[in-house]
Amino acid sequence: MSSAMKLIRRFIVILFLSICLLFIFNVVLFFYLSYHQAGNQGGWKAAETISQSLQKDDRGSYRLSEKGVATLDEYQAWAILIDDRTGKVVWHSSNLPQAVPLAYSAADIARAVRGYICDYPTTTSGHGKDLLILGHPKTAYWKLMHNTFDYQTIASLPRHLLVFTICNLAAIFLIYMVAATGIFRSVKPILCGIEALPGGGNVYVKEKGLLSQLAASINRVSETLNMQKRQIQKKETARANWIAGVSHDIRTPLSMVMGYAGQLEEDQALEEPVRRKASAIRHQSEKIRNLVSDLNLASKLEYNMQPLKMAPVNMAALTRQVSADFMNMDIEDKYPISWNGSEEMNACFVLGDKDLLRRAFSNIIQNSINHNDGGCGIYITLSEKDGQCAILMEDDGIGVSNAQIEELNSSPHYMVCDDQISRQRHGLGLLIVKQIAAAHHGSVTIGCSTYGGFSVLLEFPICQENHNS
């Protein structure tokens, strides 16, 4: 609806701008067309020129100079000179029409001066006490015989022009609004349909009016989007069901493999090479179990199927617990963990699911262990800045290249592919970390550590209630 009102406002602005420009254009055009129009002054000046060019010789005869003859030719006019005392024509040009009389009464002279002689428009000039009349072609001028206006009309002219202008603008605006209302009725459903398309759902616009073809296109687009949405949902549902089914079906046979492998590993009657093979089978089976568990958890987080048990969690205590668990399992002390944090950071609370946050921290530490077979130091730093609890987890292992870091931060699934099949990859574990952080309104940044290895920075909003207390 806001788009429709914006469109109407723009149309109204265009209307008023068009009226102003049209008015200016008409004024300029009027002055341009009337610039050379002298308001009949050309005919009057021609009569004065003929009067000045007409001279009387010693014998009493009139003679027209060459300039006067040229003026008559230019205006295609004829001329007569009427005697002041007798009213008779004492001189006329050689091209005088036969219908033009040669004697005039005072009434005839009054009519001739104001208007016409035998339908020939006239202009006049004095020649001494006599009257010179210049007759023009019948189509040269249109003379108004009774063009008089009373004083009140002239005095009221500005007010009349203002009323005329206002009435015209009101009429134009009314016509425009009537037309715009019809257009708006056709455009409104189209705009509403277009605005509703990104929200999904069924969008239908009645296919009628001036924009029926556009309405039909919107309906087809809506049908296509809905069909694609249903197909995507169907595929995603099938994928989620497949992952859940595989996770469930693989649990029992994998438990049997791990159980038998454990029994063979602990059987002292078997030779050492056989027991080592059984141990390798058990370790790899554990990786498969963890991978299936991670895959199932990632699927649940992606589709919001994992219920979150939100409560204030002390991040300092939780990171220490996770560190202690890994240190207790590290019998050979190949992966020592150092915890860095000030005394003020002994109680940094975040509103979250404790088990999921533990899983995220465990995945990051396990990622460092998986990619550094020769051992590495792991460093955990807890800090607070701008209302965010920051957990920086680093190692001094082999690290990754800048290109890999860029791909880890930008790839939706955090997969780094290479040509070496035997090389382990940063993949699903970091994806789960990212999903857990997103579920807690946090962020994850992957980079190179200050120790030359791999680093992961997690930031979560601090729970203000516990923080203030």
Side-chain angles (χ1 to χ4, degrees):
M1 182 61 68
S2 59
S3 299
M5 296 305 300
K6 183 178 180 181
L7 185 63
I8 291 177
R9 287 195 298 267
R10 178 169 295 183
F11 281 161
I12 293 176
V13 171
I14 293 174
L15 170 66
F16 281 107
L17 288 178
S18 301
I19 292 174
C20 294
L21 292 176
L22 185 62
F23 175 76
I24 295 173
F25 172 76
N26 278 276
V27 171
V28 173
L29 182 62
F30 172 77
F31 281 105
Y32 174 77
L33 295 178
S34 61
Y35 179 76
H36 298 288
Q37 177 66 25
N40 293 341
Q41 292 184 10
W44 297 102
K45 288 183 178 180
E48 292 179 0
T49 301
I50 298 299
S51 176
Q52 295 171 0
S53 302
L54 186 62
Q55 302 295 329
K56 191 175 184 180
D57 56 20
D58 297 337
R59 295 177 297 178
S61 299
Y62 291 92
R63 179 177 175 274
L64 188 63
S65 67
E66 293 182 358
K67 182 179 179 181
V69 174
T71 301
L72 288 176
D73 292 340
E74 180 183 355
Y75 284 84
Q76 298 179 355
W78 49 264
I80 59 174
L81 182 64
I82 302 175
D83 184 70
D84 178 52
R85 293 174 299 172
T86 63
K88 293 182 179 181
V89 175
V90 295
W91 174 88
H92 63 79
S93 62
S94 59
N95 59 345
L96 182 68
Q98 294 182 356
V100 176
L102 299 178
Y104 294 88
S105 63
D108 294 334
I109 292 174
R111 285 192 293 271
V113 170
R114 291 183 59 190
Y116 298 84
I117 296 178
C118 299
D119 295 333
Y120 291 97
T122 60
T123 55
T124 61
S125 177
H127 186 76
K129 293 183 179 181
D130 298 332
L131 176 64
L132 179 74
I133 298 178
L134 190 65
H136 299 273
K138 295 180 179 181
T139 58
Y141 300 106
W142 178 37
K143 300 185 69 176
L144 298 176
M145 300 291 289
H146 307 284
N147 54 338
T148 57
F149 299 93
D150 61 87
Y151 181 82
Q152 187 64 31
T153 301
I154 299 300
S156 303
L157 183 60
R159 184 173 70 252
H160 292 165
L161 289 177
L162 180 61
V163 173
F164 175 81
T165 303
I166 294 176
C167 291
N168 275 272
L169 291 176
I172 293 173
F173 183 76
L174 180 61
I175 294 173
Y176 171 80
M177 290 306 298
V178 172
T181 301
I183 296 175
F184 175 70
R185 290 177 179 174
S186 300
V187 172
K188 180 181 177 181
I190 301 297
L191 294 177
C192 294
I194 294 175
E195 291 177 352
L197 281 177
N202 293 323
V203 176
Y204 177 77
V205 181
K206 292 183 179 180
E207 301 175 8
K208 64 178 183 178
L210 298 175
L211 303 177
S212 58
Q213 294 183 349
L214 183 57
S217 299
I218 293 175
N219 293 334
R220 289 196 297 271
V221 170
S222 176
E223 293 176 0
T224 302
L225 292 177
N226 288 330
M227 183 179 300
Q228 293 176 349
K229 183 178 179 180
R230 289 192 295 268
Q231 291 176 350
I232 292 174
Q233 290 177 344
K234 185 177 180 180
K235 291 179 180 179
E236 297 297 344
T237 301
R239 187 179 72 168
N241 292 336
W242 180 82
I243 293 174
V246 169
S247 301
H248 180 270
D249 294 341
I250 204 173
R251 189 176 305 161
T252 300
L254 190 59
S255 299
M256 294 179 62
V257 171
M258 294 176 60
Y260 290 141
Q263 292 178 7
L264 295 175
E265 181 183 6
E266 296 174 359
D267 191 350
Q268 300 296 328
L270 296 177
E271 298 180 357
E272 184 64 24
V274 177
R275 294 173 60 192
R276 286 198 300 268
K277 290 179 182 180
S279 177
I281 293 173
R282 183 179 60 81
H283 283 297
Q284 295 302 322
S285 298
E286 289 178 353
K287 289 184 178 181
I288 295 175
R289 181 190 62 187
N290 294 335
L291 178 61
V292 173
S293 177
D294 287 347
L295 187 62
N296 193 34
L297 178 59
S299 177
K300 290 181 178 180
L301 290 173
E302 182 177 357
Y303 298 107
N304 298 320
M305 298 170 60
Q306 176 68 28
L308 299 181
K309 301 176 182 179
M310 307 297 283
V313 179
N314 188 345
M315 302 300 279
L318 183 60
T319 52
R320 285 195 181 97
Q321 291 175 5
V322 174
S323 301
D325 292 340
F326 276 93
M327 293 174 66
N328 292 333
M329 292 186 297
D330 185 19
I331 300 177
E332 300 179 2
D333 198 23
K334 293 176 60 179
Y335 303 98
I337 300 177
S338 301
W339 194 92
N340 302 320
S342 60
E343 294 182 359
E344 292 80 2
M345 296 304 300
N346 287 334
C348 183
F349 286 89
V350 168
L351 186 63
D353 188 312
K354 186 175 182 179
D355 293 335
L356 287 180
L357 292 173
R358 183 194 299 273
R359 181 65 173 275
F361 298 150
S362 300
N363 281 6
I364 297 174
I365 296 176
Q366 188 64 47
N367 185 75
S368 296
I369 295 173
N370 292 340
H371 293 82
N372 295 279
D373 294 334
C376 68
I378 299 174
Y379 307 88
I380 302 176
T381 304
L382 199 65
S383 61
E384 177 185 346
K385 184 179 180 182
D386 298 331
Q388 297 282 322
C389 180
I391 302 96
L392 178 62
M393 309 184 75
E394 306 174 279
D395 64 49
D396 56 6
I398 59 175
V400 291
S401 65
N402 292 331
Q404 289 175 317
I405 291 175
E406 178 67 23
E407 189 169 0
L408 287 170
N409 281 313
S410 60
S411 175
H413 296 293
Y414 297 93
M415 295 295 182
V416 176
C417 299
D418 49 51
D419 297 332
Q420 299 179 5
I421 300 176
S422 60
R423 182 178 176 181
Q424 291 180 331
R425 302 172 183 175
H426 299 277
L428 195 56
L430 294 180
L431 169 62
I432 293 176
V433 172
K434 178 67 176 180
Q435 290 177 320
I436 293 175
H440 291 78
H441 306 288
S443 62
V444 176
T445 305
I446 300 172
C448 294
S449 73
T450 56
Y451 303 96
F454 191 73
S455 72
V456 179
L457 174 64
L458 299 98
E459 293 180 300
F460 300 96
I462 292 177
C463 182
Q464 295 298 329
E465 295 181 2
N466 293 81
H467 181 68
N468 295 333
S469 60

